[in-house]
Amino acid sequence: MRDLVAGMRYLGKGQRWVAGHGRWWGFGLIPALITLVLYGAVLTVLAIWSGDIAAWATPFADDWGSPWQGLLRGVFVALLFAGALMLSVLTFTAVTLVIGDPFYESLSEQVEKSEGHCPPGPDRPLWQEIWIALRDSVHVLLRAAGFGVLLFALGFLPFIGQTVIPVIAFCVNGFFLAVELTSVAMQRRDIPVTERLRLLRGRKALAVGFGTPIVLLFLIPFIAVLLMPGAVAGATLLVRDLVADGDGDGDGDGDGDEGRREPEGAPYGQAAPYGPTPGQAAPYGQAAPYGQPAPYGQAAPGQPGPYGQPAPGGFGPAPAPYPPHQGH
């Protein structure tokens, strides 16, 4: 439950960030507006040609009389347009992120810089970045489509299909929308899409809490355009903490070997992991590992302690050699 609320807070943080940086909010609107115009054009063409498409798809009804032919094809047109609208909602974010990759990359970098540190991105040309974003989006959409088919079939179950399954469907769509939105900051860290899915599966409630409210808000016309910049900003803030909690370092520099730091000295009064750092003394009252200096005033194991006392962790001074056998 805590992660679910935290995910919602990241969405609010992202919207507040762009509200305080109006120029970047306007900058982030450009790709969403371009996508909206493209989707509007496609839906307009579909609406104009929907009657012809219905007649082409139902040739068996050519000889039907009125009103059955018109009723069948009217239902077909309604279902076709409703399916197109639902597909638009599901793919709007992915298409917007692909079109606006340079825009949202700059926006995400600015968010990270405002938080104190922005990890350097991989040195790749722009066309390769766009290709990776497109490939990863297709990968995520195919996974989401698989869940969509399953949930569509379960929707025919009595009672459960009309109550529980829609809620699960919104949560699943929210999870995959969170995967899409975090792809900008994840790609900068050169985290592959399979690893992104693993990281977010480990914090499902966080991803669902972030993505599901966006899915619900995106159902309202034009809201998706207005919320996209803040959604990307919130996803960036989420990735910074997610990668720091996961396989990356504390600054979210990535999850590879280069992004990990060797353990340094532990805080005062605590032992460092796996023994003290080389060149530092062990905590007082503990024996130093072999070959490292002992605490002040103590001796390493097996060596005489101060003032003739046995060393901690040892067995006192070494015994004198056994006198040689003397004959009588």
Side-chain angles (χ1 to χ4, degrees):
M1 189 65 183
R2 182 180 301 174
D3 266 1
L4 196 67
V5 174
M8 298 178 186
R9 287 176 179 168
Y10 279 116
L11 177 59
K13 289 178 181 178
Q15 300 303 326
R16 286 196 299 271
W17 191 93
V18 295
H21 301 77
R23 184 172 67 88
W24 286 101
W25 179 73
F27 185 74
L29 286 179
I30 297 174
L33 288 171
I34 294 173
T35 308
L36 180 65
V37 170
L38 292 176
Y39 272 61
V42 171
L43 291 174
T44 301
V45 171
L46 180 63
I48 293 173
W49 292 93
S50 59
D52 295 333
I53 295 173
W56 170 81
T58 58
F60 54 86
D62 288 343
D63 298 330
W64 289 13
S66 179
W68 305 113
Q69 183 190 79
L71 182 62
L72 173 68
R73 289 178 174 171
V75 170
F76 182 89
V77 169
L79 291 176
L80 177 65
F81 208 73
L85 286 175
M86 182 59 67
L87 185 63
S88 299
V89 171
L90 293 176
T91 59
F92 182 87
T93 301
V95 174
T96 303
L97 290 174
V98 172
I99 292 176
D101 184 77
F103 294 86
Y104 292 131
E105 178 64 31
S106 299
L107 172 62
S108 180
E109 284 182 4
Q110 190 66 28
V111 172
E112 300 225 45
K113 288 177 181 177
S114 70
E115 294 296 309
H117 174 70
C118 179
D123 187 15
R124 285 193 291 256
L126 177 61
W127 69 266
Q128 191 172 1
E129 290 287 335
I130 296 176
W131 165 249
I132 292 174
L134 178 61
R135 181 194 64 192
D136 292 348
S137 294
V138 171
H139 180 91
V140 174
L141 286 174
L142 288 176
R143 284 176 174 260
F147 280 96
V149 171
L150 176 61
L151 292 170
F152 178 79
L154 293 176
F156 290 98
L157 294 176
F159 183 70
I160 296 178
Q162 293 75 45
T163 54
V164 178
I165 298 303
V167 175
I168 296 175
F170 275 114
C171 292
V172 170
N173 288 332
F175 174 83
F176 284 109
L177 184 60
V179 175
E180 285 286 351
L181 289 169
T182 55
S183 64
V184 178
M186 293 278 198
Q187 189 172 330
R188 185 184 309 112
R189 291 163 171 79
D190 208 17
I191 301 176
V193 64
T194 52
E195 182 67 9
R196 299 174 206 168
L197 288 165
R198 186 192 69 81
L199 286 170
L200 289 170
R201 279 199 303 265
R203 302 284 297 278
K204 289 187 185 72
L206 183 69
V208 170
F210 177 74
T212 303
I214 302 177
V215 172
L216 296 172
L217 291 170
F218 277 15
L219 295 175
I220 305 173
F222 305 110
I223 289 295
V225 176
L226 300 177
L227 293 184
M228 271 300 294
V232 172
T236 302
L237 297 172
L238 187 151
V239 168
R240 287 176 63 87
D241 292 344
L242 180 68
V243 174
D245 290 342
D247 294 336
D249 64 16
D251 292 325
D253 286 337
D255 66 340
D257 291 335
E258 296 88 1
R260 295 191 180 97
R261 294 177 180 171
E262 294 297 327
E264 299 176 356
Y268 179 78
Q270 299 181 14
Y274 309 107
T277 306
Q280 295 183 358
Y284 184 80
Q286 297 182 14
Y290 181 77
Q292 297 187 11
Y296 180 76
Q298 299 184 15
Q303 300 295 326
Y307 308 107
Q309 299 176 5
F315 299 95
Y322 192 80
H325 176 72
Q326 297 178 1
H328 295 284

